[in-house]
Amino acid sequence: MSKTVPNTSINDATQKDDEIDLIALLLTLLRGWKTILTCALLGLALGFTYSRYVQPTYQTDTLLQIDEKSQGVAALGANISELVGEAKSQAETERELIKSRMVLGPVVDKLHLDLRISNPEIGALDRIAQSEIPTQISTEQGVFLDTKNGEAQITSFEVPLAYLNKPFTLVKTDKGFELSIEINEELTQYSGNIGTPTTIATPEGDIKLSVAALPSAGHPISLTKLSTPSAIDALSEKLSVSERGKQTGIVQLTLTGQDQKQVSRVLANVVQSYVDQNLARGSQQTTTTIEFMESQIPQLKQKLEQSEEAFNKFREQYGTIDVSKEAELLLTESSQIEQQLSELQLKQAELLTYYTEDHPLVIQINDQLAVLNARRQEIKDTVTRMPEVQREFLQLSQDMEINREIYLTMLKNYEQLKIARAGEIGYVRVVDMPINTYKAIAPKKLQIWVLALLLGTMLGTLLVFLKSLLRNTVKDPERLEAKTGVPVIATIPRSKTSFNLSKKKDSNRRLLAMVEHDGLSYEGIKSLRTSLMFAMPKVSKVATVLGSDAANAHKQGKVIVISGEAPNIGKSFISSNLAETFSQLNKKVLIIDGDMRRGELHKIFTVSQNSGLSDYLTESSANLSEFIHPTSFEFIDFMPRGKHPHNPASLLSTEKFGNMMAQLIDIYDYIIIDTPPVLAVSDAIITAQYADKVLMVTRYNSSIEGQLTYAVRQMNKSNITVDGIVLNDVVQGITDKYSYHYSYAYGNSKD
């Protein structure tokens, strides 16, 4: 029985790769700490600016209690209220009613919320500089705006439909004010007087404006008349209505704005408008009944007076008549029937106000009326059989009593309903009225600052990752060797002293031997010198190019061409210091500034750039020794770049340059040529034809891997072998994953 043994090596390798990737990501962030910090500080600055730009927002709230039962007609007792029924309201329904035009419309009209005035002279910088900008105040008397040049007060403003929601400009003049509006890029101006109502005739209709005060002359005020729907919508957006808890019947109204007193004033008016609407809605039943009674009472009174007048005339004519017992009983019963009929007819009239003829209550009352009418007809038939005088007396007496009962009953109910309406309070109770807290709810500056700082940090992190993905800089020598196929023969650490001197515009560049002779950078240059000494070919490339005779005379390689893929990578730094280290071996060294366009080696050796390489190659009869200058170093001579020629590459391709190189190898032990970048011009490729060693200088964490690789390929396409890469300006730190390539100095002790 065999067992399968898990391959732990693969898992360990995968885990190790994941750890390396995570470490690489962390190191990428650490290397980009400056970018992340800059973005974080920039985000914090933007957050601070935004918190200053946004004006403070204040809030106020109120609580309402919604009762479930109405107290309207119930004050009359069971007689009428039981016929009308109960009115119920829920918080969800009331919430929608509060934000309706029925409630908010009167508030907009009362407080002139459809008028908007602002100061156009307030700009973004003013909002940032000032912690709080004065805002519009709306009251029943008009709208107000305080400015540093005076107060603006508009009492009323009515415009035609065509001018709604369009801004006007008000400016104070010596005679009054000037009102202007821009329509279709045409400015139209009107004038008026301050302190008196003004009517302005326009093609679209009359503008009615009443201005009480304006800022001083020359300082405009922007004025806009909003349409009623726009003003109501603006108020509704700032008004929040919600129920406290679930099925509690407690509704909370919250209003926000930029002025605490204004917010409380508006919300108080919203509450009052809602309460008024609610009270009117709750007393509608009582009001309808009272209106019906008010229309019936005069008629009943007139009918009673007529019956009394007829009865009195009859008594005057016939005197008092002794009605028999039977007549009295009939009269009593008839009176009761008529009273019942009157009450039922009143109930029927009230029910028909709310229901149709087919309602069960209406049908029930109709049936009762039919029974009573039938009995009344029987009594009338009985009375008809009585003597004529008795019958007439009975009839008049009956009419008078019935009319009196009906009138008194109607008058009693009317007075009761008036008392009930006076005591009605609706089914909404104001629990808490709005109060001024003077505590801004926005902007929440601390939260804005923290959020802005986090967003800035996230943006900086994203930029670092994008930069790392899109711009692979030179960091890892092993990766560089794998991509280019060229060995990294030296890593030159950064010299802090030389780096600081290079930042000073008025300071000449100085060699490491003069400023930091015991530093890591100098030791790196010496290491490069050692590598080149033992790797120089036995046969000079110049001798090979120029012919066999030169090859027999000069067998040892001497020419070193130093180039790079782009400017500002330290070619001149490497060339000059390498020449100085060779001179320490008592070797006669010539350093040539082969960059005839932008060479700056003359600044390092403090030699004039004139009378150099370009001058020698352009002059037909020139003595080479006149263009080579001694330096402050005993074994170093220097040929500057000379005057800027029009065709540097063509000059390097001439036979004269080759002959110059043939002469120089007879004189010097080492010739170092500093050439322009490979990707910029072809000078380095032409010069490298005579080189015994071709070096590519690249800058740590600055040069692009792809550019360096492409530069090496360009050299290879021209049959030039790049012998080594010099990784310059290496900085060691906790973020350097490949710091083991860093050299260590073994200098003299300071003790």
Side-chain angles (χ1 to χ4, degrees):
M1 180 177 180
S2 62
K3 295 183 179 180
T4 303
V5 180
N7 191 348
T8 58
S9 61
I10 297 178
N11 297 332
D12 292 342
T14 303
Q15 183 178 1
K16 185 176 181 180
D17 290 341
D18 293 339
E19 292 178 356
I20 292 176
D21 291 339
L22 292 176
I23 293 175
L25 289 176
L26 179 60
L27 295 178
T28 300
L29 292 178
L30 292 177
R31 282 192 294 268
W33 69 271
K34 292 183 179 179
T35 301
I36 297 175
L37 179 60
T38 301
C39 291
L41 294 178
L42 181 60
L44 183 60
L46 292 176
F48 178 78
T49 303
Y50 175 77
S51 65
R52 294 281 300 181
Y53 178 81
V54 177
Q55 295 301 298
T57 300
Y58 297 93
Q59 176 180 293
T60 188
D61 55 22
T62 183
L63 289 180
L64 303 177
Q65 181 182 2
I66 310 298
D67 294 331
E68 293 186 358
K69 294 185 178 180
S70 173
Q71 301 295 329
V73 187
L76 294 177
N79 292 331
I80 297 179
S81 61
E82 66 182 8
L83 301 177
V84 178
E86 298 179 352
K88 296 183 180 180
S89 175
Q90 297 179 352
E92 288 291 331
T93 304
E94 298 303 316
R95 182 172 62 181
E96 298 301 325
L97 291 175
I98 292 173
K99 302 190 72 172
S100 65
R101 291 192 295 270
M102 178 183 65
V103 174
L104 300 184
V107 179
V108 170
D109 296 335
K110 181 180 180 181
L111 298 181
H112 301 92
L113 297 181
D114 53 351
L115 297 186
R116 295 292 175 87
I117 57 175
S118 60
N119 187 2
E121 295 182 340
I122 298 295
L125 294 179
D126 296 322
R127 298 186 64 173
I128 296 174
Q130 302 180 28
S131 59
E132 190 168 349
I133 302 294
T135 58
Q136 170 184 326
I137 303 299
S138 300
T139 65
E140 298 181 22
Q141 292 74 30
V143 292
F144 304 83
L145 179 65
D146 189 20
T147 70
K148 62 181 180 180
N149 301 302
E151 185 184 48
Q153 180 178 353
I154 311 298
T155 306
S156 63
F157 186 44
E158 299 294 335
V159 299
L161 182 62
Y163 294 148
L164 289 176
N165 302 318
K166 293 184 179 179
F168 288 80
T169 301
L170 266 176
V171 181
K172 187 177 182 180
T173 61
D174 296 336
K175 298 181 180 180
F177 66 83
E178 186 177 83
L179 179 69
S180 59
I181 183 173
E182 186 175 351
I183 302 294
N184 297 328
E185 299 182 356
E186 292 184 3
L187 186 64
T188 305
Q189 297 179 341
Y190 307 97
S191 59
N193 299 321
I194 296 178
T196 59
T198 303
T199 301
I200 301 173
T202 69
E204 302 294 339
D206 291 343
I207 296 178
K208 297 181 180 180
L209 176 62
S210 181
V211 180
L214 283 176
S216 56
H219 298 283
I221 289 295
S222 180
L223 175 62
T224 305
K225 175 71 172 182
L226 299 180
S227 63
T228 301
S230 299
I232 293 176
D233 290 342
L235 177 58
S236 179
E237 289 177 0
K238 298 179 180 179
L239 179 63
S240 174
V241 183
S242 60
E243 184 177 8
R244 281 274 192 95
K246 187 176 181 181
Q247 301 294 332
T248 61
I250 302 297
V251 177
Q252 181 178 16
L253 279 67
T254 304
L255 187 66
T256 58
Q258 296 182 356
D259 185 89
Q260 181 66 77
K261 292 183 178 179
Q262 173 72 11
V263 171
S264 299
R265 183 186 304 110
V266 173
L267 185 57
N269 279 271
V270 170
V271 172
Q272 187 60 47
S273 176
Y274 170 66
V275 170
D276 292 342
Q277 294 290 340
N278 176 267
L279 183 59
R281 180 156 48 104
S283 62
Q284 183 178 2
Q285 302 169 359
T286 306
T287 303
T288 303
T289 306
I290 289 177
E291 291 176 354
F292 170 76
M293 289 183 175
E294 288 177 347
S295 64
Q296 295 296 317
I297 286 176
Q299 299 178 12
L300 294 176
K301 184 177 181 181
Q302 182 181 5
K303 189 174 181 180
L304 175 60
E305 292 175 349
Q306 292 175 356
S307 61
E308 288 178 345
E309 182 180 0
F311 181 71
N312 291 332
K313 287 181 179 181
F314 179 83
R315 292 182 61 184
E316 291 176 358
Q317 180 178 359
Y318 296 100
T320 302
I321 301 177
D322 187 15
V323 183
S324 63
K325 190 65 176 178
E326 182 181 0
E328 291 179 0
L329 293 176
L330 292 176
L331 178 61
T332 301
E333 184 180 0
S334 177
S335 176
Q336 292 176 354
I337 292 174
E338 292 296 334
Q339 182 178 356
Q340 292 178 8
L341 287 173
S342 176
E343 291 177 355
L344 289 176
Q345 288 174 355
L346 177 60
K347 292 181 180 180
Q348 182 187 42
E350 290 173 347
L351 287 174
L352 291 177
T353 305
Y354 304 98
Y355 308 111
T356 63
E357 293 284 345
D358 298 330
H359 194 274
L361 291 177
V362 178
I363 295 174
Q364 182 180 0
I365 290 178
N366 291 336
D367 294 338
Q368 294 177 5
L369 289 174
V371 173
L372 292 175
N373 286 326
R375 176 55 184 165
R376 183 177 64 176
Q377 187 61 39
E378 292 178 0
I379 294 175
K380 286 183 178 181
D381 295 339
T382 303
V383 172
T384 303
R385 294 191 293 269
M386 292 183 179
E388 183 68 24
V389 176
Q390 291 182 347
R391 185 174 63 250
E392 187 174 355
F393 175 81
L394 182 61
Q395 184 67 42
L396 292 175
S397 177
Q398 180 183 10
D399 291 343
M400 182 184 67
E401 292 296 331
I402 290 173
N403 291 335
R404 180 180 290 110
E405 289 294 333
I406 293 175
Y407 175 74
L408 292 177
T409 301
M410 182 71 71
L411 195 61
K412 176 183 175 182
N413 289 336
Y414 174 72
E415 295 298 331
Q416 287 180 344
L417 282 176
K418 288 176 62 177
I419 295 173
R421 185 174 64 176
E424 285 179 341
I425 59 173
Y427 50 85
V428 173
R429 183 165 66 99
V430 180
V431 180
D432 290 331
M433 284 297 292
I435 60 174
N436 297 325
T437 60
Y438 298 102
K439 183 178 180 181
I441 62 169
K444 297 181 179 179
K445 295 185 178 181
L446 182 59
Q447 294 184 6
I448 293 176
W449 297 344
V450 172
L451 183 60
L453 183 63
L454 292 177
L455 291 177
T457 304
M458 293 173 60
L459 178 61
T461 304
L462 181 61
L463 290 178
V464 169
F465 279 129
L466 289 177
K467 183 180 179 181
S468 177
L469 292 174
L470 300 177
R471 187 177 183 269
N472 290 325
T473 56
V474 174
K475 296 185 184 73
D476 180 14
E478 293 179 356
R479 178 184 174 92
L480 206 57
E481 291 177 351
K483 279 184 168 291
T484 61
V486 179
V488 177
I489 62 175
T491 57
I492 312 300
R494 173 180 290 181
S495 169
K496 294 183 179 179
T497 304
S498 179
F499 181 76
N500 293 333
L501 289 174
S502 66
K503 291 183 176 180
K504 299 180 180 179
K505 296 182 179 180
D506 56 348
S507 175
N508 292 328
R509 300 180 184 179
R510 304 177 69 184
L511 298 178
L512 290 174
M514 302 172 63
V515 297
E516 198 176 2
H517 64 278
D518 58 350
L520 295 178
S521 299
Y522 197 44
E523 294 299 325
I525 297 294
K526 289 180 180 179
S527 176
L528 174 61
R529 177 196 65 184
T530 303
S531 299
L532 291 174
M533 287 175 55
F534 292 102
M536 294 299 287
K538 298 297 182 180
V539 180
S540 173
K541 187 70 173 294
V542 174
T544 303
V545 173
L546 296 180
S548 58
D549 293 338
N552 293 330
H554 309 286
K555 296 184 181 297
Q556 181 67 35
K558 298 182 176 182
V559 181
I560 301 173
V561 170
I562 298 178
S563 185
E565 82 283 355
N568 302 321
I569 58 174
K571 297 185 285 77
S572 300
F573 172 80
I574 299 296
S575 301
S576 58
N577 283 283
L578 182 61
E580 190 276 332
T581 57
F582 273 118
S583 69
Q584 291 183 2
L585 303 177
N586 296 333
K587 300 292 184 180
K588 196 169 184 181
V589 181
L590 173 65
I591 180 168
I592 301 175
D593 192 348
D595 189 352
M596 291 182 281
R597 296 173 176 83
R598 300 175 58 184
E600 294 184 351
L601 277 174
H602 60 279
K603 296 181 180 179
I604 300 178
F605 294 100
T606 63
V607 176
S608 174
Q609 74 176 46
N610 297 326
S611 184
L613 177 60
S614 63
D615 302 306
Y616 173 76
L617 295 177
T618 54
E619 294 183 10
S620 57
S621 58
N623 186 3
L624 181 60
S625 61
E626 297 178 357
F627 301 92
I628 299 176
H629 308 278
T631 64
S632 58
F633 297 89
E634 181 180 359
F635 295 98
I636 299 178
D637 288 340
F638 173 57
M639 176 180 280
R641 64 183 175 93
K643 297 179 181 179
H644 182 27
H646 298 290
N647 53 348
S650 300
L651 294 177
L652 294 174
S653 300
T654 60
E655 185 178 352
K656 189 173 185 179
F657 179 76
N659 293 332
M660 182 193 75
M661 295 301 299
Q663 296 179 50
L664 293 177
I665 62 175
D666 291 334
I667 303 173
Y668 296 96
D669 295 318
Y670 290 99
I671 301 172
I672 300 175
I673 306 177
D674 182 14
T675 62
V678 175
L679 299 182
V681 292
S682 61
D683 297 14
I685 297 176
I686 298 173
T687 307
Q689 303 292 334
Y690 303 94
D692 298 306
K693 285 293 179 180
V694 178
L695 303 181
M696 293 288 289
V697 178
T698 188
R699 190 162 193 161
Y700 179 83
N701 202 28
S702 178
S703 298
I704 308 300
E705 285 184 355
Q707 292 182 356
L708 180 61
T709 303
Y710 184 73
V712 172
R713 290 177 182 174
Q714 291 298 104
M715 299 285 275
N716 294 336
K717 289 180 181 179
S718 301
N719 295 322
I720 295 175
T721 302
V722 178
D723 299 293
I725 296 174
V726 179
L727 186 56
N728 185 33
D729 198 33
V730 178
V731 180
Q732 184 183 24
I734 60 173
T735 63
D736 297 312
K737 179 181 175 184
Y738 306 100
S739 59
Y740 53 81
H741 289 283
Y742 207 94
S743 302
Y744 290 90
Y746 187 75
N748 296 326
S749 175
K750 294 182 181 180
D751 297 337

